[in-house]
C-alpha cells in the first residue's frame, strides 16, 4: 500500500471523520463504520485533505486535465482545497467548478455553476467524498456534459466503501459503467481494515461486525 494511503487512513481517524460504531446509512443499511467528510473543518485539515486528493488523482489519472468539478455541497470545499494543492505540489494551474442547487438569476455569474465556466474541450475530473449509491453523479454528470463539450477523465472519492450499489457491484463500478469514465478512491475500506489489522488497532469484535456487514452487503466487484 502506498505511503500516502496509510497516512490518509491515520488522517481520517485523527480528524474523527472515519468512525466505528453503529450507524444507519441513508440507504437504511446498518453499518459498523461511517465516513463524513463534513468533519474536515480547519485550515490545516483542508490543506492536507487537498494534498491527499491531489496525490491520488495524479496516481490514478495523471496531470492531463483542466478542471476539478465538485458537486454541491460537500464537493465545493474538496474541489477548492485540491486545486490549491495542485498549485502547491505540482505547480499546475487547475480551475475549479461546482454546481448550484438553485440557479442564480442576477449578477455577473448567473446560471447553475460556481467557479470557472466550463468550455468545449475541457478535461474534467469529478471529485466528491464518498459514493454509496451514485445518486449525486446522476444529478451532476448530465449538468457537466450539458454545459459544454467536455471530456470527463474520471471520478475520485476519498473512500470506496466496497459495498453493493444498486446491483452486486460497487457504486463506483456502476458509475464507471453507466457514464463511461474511470472511478477511483484514495483508499478502500478493505485497505483500511488491512492497515489497522497490521497495527493491531482493530479489536476482534469490531472486525467480526465488519466481516458480517460485508458478508451481507459486500460487492462482488
Amino acid at each position: 500500500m502506498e505511503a500516502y494511503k496509510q497516512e490518509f487512513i491515520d488522517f481520517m481517524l485523527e480528524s474523527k471523520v472515519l468512525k466505528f460504531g453503529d450507524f444507519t446509512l441513508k440507504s437504511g443499511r446498518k453499518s459498523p463504520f461511517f465516513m463524513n467528510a463534513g468533519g474536515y473543518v480547519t485550515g490545516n485539515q483542508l490543506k492536507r485533505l487537498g494534498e491527499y486528493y491531489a496525490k491520488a488523482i495524479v496516481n490514478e489519472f495523471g496531470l492531463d486535465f483542466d478542471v476539478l468539478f465538485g458537486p454541491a455541497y460537500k464537493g465545493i470545499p474538496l474541489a477548492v482545497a485540491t486545486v490549491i494543492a495542485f498549485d502547491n505540489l505540482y505547480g499546475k494551474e487547475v480551475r475549479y467548478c461546482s454546481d448550484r442547487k438553485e440557479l442564480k438569476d442576477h449578477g455577473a455569474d448567473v446560471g447553475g455553476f460556481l467557479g470557472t465556466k466550463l468550455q468545449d474541450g475541457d478535461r474534467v475530473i469529478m471529485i466528491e467524498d464518498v459514493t454509496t449509491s451514485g445518486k449525486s453523479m446522476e444529478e451532476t454528470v448530465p449538468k457537466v456534459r450539458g454545459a459544454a463539450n467536455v471530456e470527463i477523465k474520471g471520478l475520485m472519492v476519498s473512500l470506496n466503501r466496497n459495498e453493493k450499489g444498486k446491483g452486486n457491484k460497487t457504486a463506483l463500478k456502476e458509475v464507471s459503467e453507466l457514464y463511461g469514465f474511470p472511478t477511483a478512491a484514495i483508499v478502500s475500506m478493505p485497505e483500511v481494515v488491512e492497515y489497522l489489522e497490521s497495527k493491531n488497532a482493530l479489536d476482534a469484535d469490531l472486525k467480526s461486525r465488519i466481516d458480517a456487514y460485508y458478508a451481507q452487503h459486500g460487492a462482488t466487484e
Side-chain angles (χ1 to χ4, degrees), residues 13 16 35 47 62 70 81 118 134 150-151 153 167 187 192 201 211 213:
L13 294 170
K16 296 182 172 57
M35 199 284 289
K47 173 180 177 291
L118 294 172
V150 304
E151 177 189 2
K153 301 280 289 185
V187 294
V192 172
D211 288 344
Y213 183 79

Side-chain angles (χ1 to χ4, degrees), residues 33 35 45 47 54 81 87 156 176-177 188 209:
F33 59 89
M35 199 284 289
Q45 287 174 333
K47 173 180 177 291
D87 180 64
M156 179 62 68
S176 179
E177 292 182 348
S188 67
R209 291 196 294 125

Side-chain angles (χ1 to χ4, degrees), residues 69-88:
F69 185 92
Y73 290 103
K74 288 182 181 177
I76 297 173
L78 296 182
V80 171
T82 306
V83 296
I84 294 171
F86 268 101
D87 180 64
N88 290 336

